[in-house]
Amino acid sequence: MPNLAALADTLRAAFDLPFDEGQALERTRFRTLLDDPRSKALRYAFFAEREAARVPGLAKDTPRRAIARVAVIGAGTMGGGIAMCFANADIPVTVIEQEEAALTRGLDRIRGLYDGSVKRGSLTAEARDRRVALIEGAIGLDRAAAADLVIEAAFEDMGVKREIFGTLDRVAPDAILATNTSYLDIDEIARATTRPERVLGLHFFSPANVMRLIEVVRAEKTAPEVLATALDLARKIGKLAVTVGVCHGFVGNRMLARRGRAAERLLLDGALPHEVDAAVTGFGFRMGPFAMLDLAGLDIGWRVRKATGGSAPIADALCEQGRFGQKTGRGFYLYPEGARAGVRDPEVEALIAETAAAAGIARRAFSAEEIIARLFYPMVNEGARILEEKIALRASDIDVVWLAGYNWPAWRGGPMYWADRIGLPVIVEALDRLAAETGDETLRPASLLAKRAAEGGGFTG
């Protein structure tokens, strides 16, 4: 980032130059930075975060409900991380499981995370003990009765969630009921209760105790005071809340699915995992899509695809071989002797070539620029559909989700802002061409994207 060199030059000038000359240098450096496209994107991101706090139609004087105690259903990785968010903000929380062994594992994991913070020096032992004391373990959903807010963080299965919410409706009749689902229909979950106006989504991002973003999902019947309470509570626990509507995957994961499909298609068409990941990290992400899948675990997406009828030929084939990523030492990459960084695997590259040949696809080489276009243009297109359907309130809200939840490089401003800089006509033309080449009509430009491109407009002003 150019500001670092400018800071160093300006500080050096304070020692080496006369005062007037130092001021002139400082002014020159400032003006250069002010006009830099990266600076403009960062300023856009700054104001987009603040705009996300404003929800049209939600009056400032909307009543808020007091949240003195929270219950979290599920002591797994997500449930434990969510519980820590509240303990960190001095809010007592009850973590509820069905079995003692699962509860013990979850509480031990929480304690281990706090111990790690103490060892790193980011937390005192006294603060750790205070936070751990605020987290109580319990068995059975009836233990949620005293909570003002209950957050369900159970397995991603509609039947499981409906059963949980039906029970919570009975045992916690006055509480706000929230689900941490990443994909499922919250309106359907709410219908399992007699008070759907008290139900909403609070989609924390993993690891929940670290990531800033929460997608606050307003269901069809969510009451204004419930939404307002959730937004205030998100700020209290140090999170950045973006209000979104109900659809499969909401905003972030819905667009991520588009990138995932594009990444798989790139492999079949000729790119290799390390080439795709190198293009994405070169763009500014900390990690490429295939390294990220290996880190998260390929089996997670595999389960979702099997439950929803989706497919990803390469990833599915790897999972069928027991290659789930880093945790098994093999995924898209090899991880010898527990290594954190993957290395190329000839077996995977051979599998890709064989799968493409079986599908009759002629493979070719791709430049980094082509890879970025193939990955991100479909995401922008999906963002346009999200705006058309009013799932997101603003294009800038989509950008905030990707900046805070998926580590989109802040100096590129977010996918919708970036699209405006590329030029919407360029993206429309590329999508039409790609749809014709692949036969995938879902790649055709969304009507809003085509309209803005034809008008010479953009998404972010």
Side-chain angles (χ1 to χ4, degrees):
M1 296 299 288
N3 60 309
L4 300 178
L7 286 165
D9 287 347
T10 305
L11 180 60
R12 186 181 295 113
F15 293 94
D16 296 346
L17 296 178
F19 186 78
D20 290 345
E21 292 181 29
Q23 274 197 316
L25 175 69
E26 182 178 350
R27 181 67 178 171
T28 299
R29 291 288 188 271
F30 175 80
R31 289 299 315 177
T32 301
L33 293 175
L34 191 65
D35 294 335
D36 191 296
R38 291 165 288 188
S39 172
K40 294 176 182 178
L42 288 165
R43 295 199 299 273
Y44 164 81
F46 177 88
F47 288 108
E49 283 195 10
R50 281 140 189 83
E51 187 66 19
R54 301 180 178 90
V55 179
L58 189 66
K60 290 183 178 180
D61 59 355
T62 300
R64 272 69 167 171
R65 299 179 60 159
I67 305 296
R69 172 169 284 276
V70 174
V72 176
I73 311 302
T77 302
M78 281 304 301
I82 292 169
M84 292 174 70
C85 294
F86 292 98
N88 294 347
D90 292 323
I91 299 173
V93 56
T94 302
V95 179
I96 297 173
E97 264 290 354
Q98 299 180 78
E99 299 176 355
E100 195 69 44
L103 179 61
T104 299
R105 284 195 303 271
L107 295 177
D108 287 347
R109 187 184 301 110
I110 291 170
R111 175 75 187 209
L113 290 170
Y114 279 131
D115 286 345
S117 296
V118 173
K119 289 179 182 177
R120 290 191 299 273
S122 60
L123 191 69
T124 66
E126 292 77 15
R128 173 201 61 198
D129 294 343
R130 184 176 67 253
R131 294 176 185 187
V132 168
L134 287 167
I135 301 174
E136 173 192 23
I139 300 296
L141 292 178
D142 59 310
R143 296 296 299 275
D148 303 300
L149 167 68
V150 185
I151 302 174
E152 168 272 316
F155 186 66
E156 280 288 81
D157 179 270
M158 180 58 77
V160 170
K161 293 184 186 294
R162 283 180 57 85
E163 182 178 352
I164 289 172
F165 273 75
T167 302
L168 291 174
D169 187 50
R170 185 180 71 254
V171 303
D174 297 322
I176 293 174
L177 304 181
T179 174
N180 183 56
T181 182
S182 301
Y183 293 97
L184 298 178
D185 185 341
I186 296 176
D187 290 327
E188 183 176 346
I189 293 172
R191 285 193 287 272
T193 75
T194 59
R195 303 173 186 84
E197 69 277 3
R198 293 184 298 117
V199 178
L200 81 166
L202 290 178
H203 179 213
F204 289 76
F205 283 66
S206 184
N209 55 304
V210 175
M211 297 296 287
R212 293 178 62 216
L213 183 67
I214 297 179
E215 284 181 318
V216 178
V217 189
R218 175 167 46 179
E220 180 184 5
K221 295 187 177 179
T222 302
E225 63 268 23
V226 170
L227 177 62
T229 299
L231 294 172
D232 282 3
L233 186 62
R235 285 189 288 272
K236 185 173 182 179
I237 64 174
K239 300 297 184 182
L240 174 59
V242 178
T243 302
V244 302
V246 175
C247 68
H248 183 76
F250 315 125
V251 170
N253 281 340
R254 177 169 164 178
M255 292 173 68
L256 183 66
R258 279 290 172 184
R259 192 182 80 173
R261 287 179 59 180
E264 275 264 342
R265 181 72 201 197
L266 270 168
L267 295 184
L268 294 173
D269 285 348
L272 293 173
H274 72 279
E275 294 171 335
V276 175
D277 284 351
V280 171
T281 55
F283 182 83
F285 279 84
R286 297 175 188 173
M287 186 176 287
F290 297 113
M292 184 194 74
L293 287 169
D294 275 359
L295 177 63
L298 299 180
D299 51 320
I300 296 173
W302 191 38
R303 284 199 302 267
V304 172
R305 288 190 296 275
K306 288 195 292 186
T308 60
S311 68
I314 307 301
D316 290 347
L318 294 177
C319 289
E320 287 163 6
Q321 297 175 11
R323 303 179 63 122
F324 297 147
Q326 286 190 22
K327 61 188 173 186
T328 57
R330 302 185 310 158
F332 282 99
Y333 300 100
L334 285 175
Y335 300 87
E337 299 178 358
R340 300 290 289 175
V343 296
R344 292 174 62 177
D345 186 348
E347 291 185 14
V348 172
E349 295 178 12
L351 171 66
I352 292 168
E354 292 165 6
T355 306
I361 299 172
R363 304 180 80 237
R364 68 173 179 85
F366 287 89
S367 68
E369 291 75 17
E370 287 179 297
I371 289 171
I372 291 302
R374 289 277 297 260
L375 289 175
F376 295 160
Y377 289 1
M379 285 175 50
V380 170
N381 200 31
E382 198 64 26
R385 293 191 181 103
I386 285 168
L387 290 171
E388 285 177 353
E389 298 168 20
K390 303 189 186 308
I391 300 299
L393 296 170
R394 294 165 284 253
S396 61
D397 285 358
I398 295 175
D399 286 337
V400 170
V401 167
W402 270 84
L403 289 163
Y406 298 87
N407 288 311
W408 181 281
W411 55 272
R412 291 193 184 272
M416 308 310 283
Y417 179 91
W418 172 78
D420 286 350
R421 311 283 84 72
I422 295 293
L424 299 191
V426 172
I427 295 175
V428 165
E429 181 183 356
L431 287 170
D432 272 328
R433 185 171 61 252
L434 187 57
E437 290 174 1
T438 63
D440 184 355
E441 289 300 308
T442 67
L443 290 170
R444 293 292 180 188
S447 58
L448 180 61
L449 174 59
K451 179 175 182 291
R452 296 279 173 89
E455 294 171 347
F459 292 113
T460 59

